[in-house]
Amino acid sequence: MSRLDTIFEVIFLVGFVIGSVIRKVYTTPSRRSKVVKKRKSTLDIILVGLSGVGMAMPLVYLLTPWLDVADYPLPRWLSWIGTVVFAGAIVLLWRSHVDLGRNWSPTLRIRPEHTLITHGVYRYIRHPMYAAHLLWAIGQGLLLANWLAGWILFVTFVPFYFYRKPKEEQLMLDRFGDGYRQYMKRTGGMIPRIWK
Ligand code: SAH
């Protein structure tokens, strides 16, 4: 089966390139910054790695015929919804990187100049970047008509989020104390607290 033969595969690839550029541009300065506090956990590293595999798997799908056995018919209207979700993921990924700035890290870390971010998209939710990844995972599933390449990120990211969230919030509580406790009261994890 030839590749990039549907508009949705092309849309995915374009989004993938934009998302990768956003990641690279905004995370390069933080990768060079020092670390004062770390929460090392093998399971956390494994789960981050699996999510990485989930993000990269579409490239295997788009560039080789190896995953074709897992193809299935996906209705076009669902893929159009996927396009909107995927675009939302990219916008949220970009905004959260802009707002979090140099405080970003791939594993749990506190930096010497770490500040508590509560503005921008962080005003509404504590985990906009993880929300962006979840939207990305759903968009990927709805754009690629292949069980494996489509849904692997969703399957790997959800356990990562449930494992990481309490650990990250504990780290932030240890570092920022009441400031973060108050912030937790006003915000939702991934869904804004619109009823408050
Ligand atoms: N969970 C956040 C950030 C992901 S990056 C999100 O989804 O947007 C992970 C790093 O961000 C962690 O090591 C933590 O130190 C840092 N972090 C998380 N929330 C933060 C906040 N509100 N202000 C500053 N740093 C934060």
Side-chain angles (χ1 to χ4, degrees):
M1 196 181 166
S2 68
R3 285 295 154 213
L4 293 176
D5 50 0
T6 73
I7 178 79
F8 303 114
E9 289 175 358
V10 176
I11 290 171
F12 177 84
L13 199 63
V14 170
F16 186 92
V17 171
I18 296 172
S20 305
V21 169
I22 292 173
R23 256 278 133 103
K24 177 85 187 125
V25 166
Y26 288 97
T27 61
T28 302
S30 5
R31 284 182 199 275
R32 295 202 187 106
S33 173
K34 285 195 185 118
V35 174
V36 286
K37 220 182 233 192
K38 266 193 214 173
R39 285 290 146 89
K40 268 202 185 159
S41 145
T42 312
L43 186 56
D44 190 84
I45 292 168
I46 291 172
L47 291 171
V48 170
L50 286 176
S51 291
V53 171
M55 289 197 114
M57 193 67 89
L59 293 184
V60 177
Y61 176 62
L62 295 175
L63 300 174
T64 75
W66 302 337
L67 306 180
D68 286 1
V69 282
D71 278 352
Y72 70 103
L74 182 63
R76 284 177 72 84
W77 64 269
L78 267 178
S79 293
W80 283 119
I81 294 176
T83 304
V84 176
V85 173
F86 200 53
I90 291 169
V91 172
L92 194 56
L93 184 73
W94 166 57
R95 286 315 309 166
S96 52
H97 266 298
V98 170
D99 294 332
L100 192 61
R102 284 173 175 244
N103 299 306
W104 178 85
S105 58
T107 53
L108 289 182
R109 284 167 199 188
I110 296 286
R111 304 186 180 283
E113 70 285 11
H114 211 114
T115 50
L116 176 60
I117 302 298
T118 60
H119 65 264
V121 276
Y122 287 85
R123 234 177 104 177
Y124 309 102
I125 47 175
R126 298 191 292 285
H127 303 293
M129 211 173 277
Y130 298 156
H133 283 77
L134 187 66
L135 290 177
W136 181 289
I138 296 169
Q140 180 172 319
L142 295 177
L143 284 170
L144 303 177
N146 181 278
W147 285 117
L148 193 65
W151 294 104
I152 186 174
L153 179 61
F154 187 81
V155 171
T156 51
F157 183 75
V158 169
F160 162 78
Y161 176 70
F162 284 108
Y163 180 78
R164 168 69 75 87
K165 179 180 182 271
K167 297 217 161 19
E168 180 167 325
E169 293 184 344
Q170 192 54 54
L171 179 70
M172 298 304 285
L173 281 168
D174 292 349
R175 170 66 182 81
F176 296 103
D178 260 351
Y180 196 74
R181 205 164 287 116
Q182 294 303 322
Y183 173 60
M184 284 179 90
K185 284 189 187 147
R186 322 191 279 276
T187 52
M190 278 198 186
I191 301 165
R193 284 202 182 175
I194 37 173
W195 58 90
K196 279 218 162 174

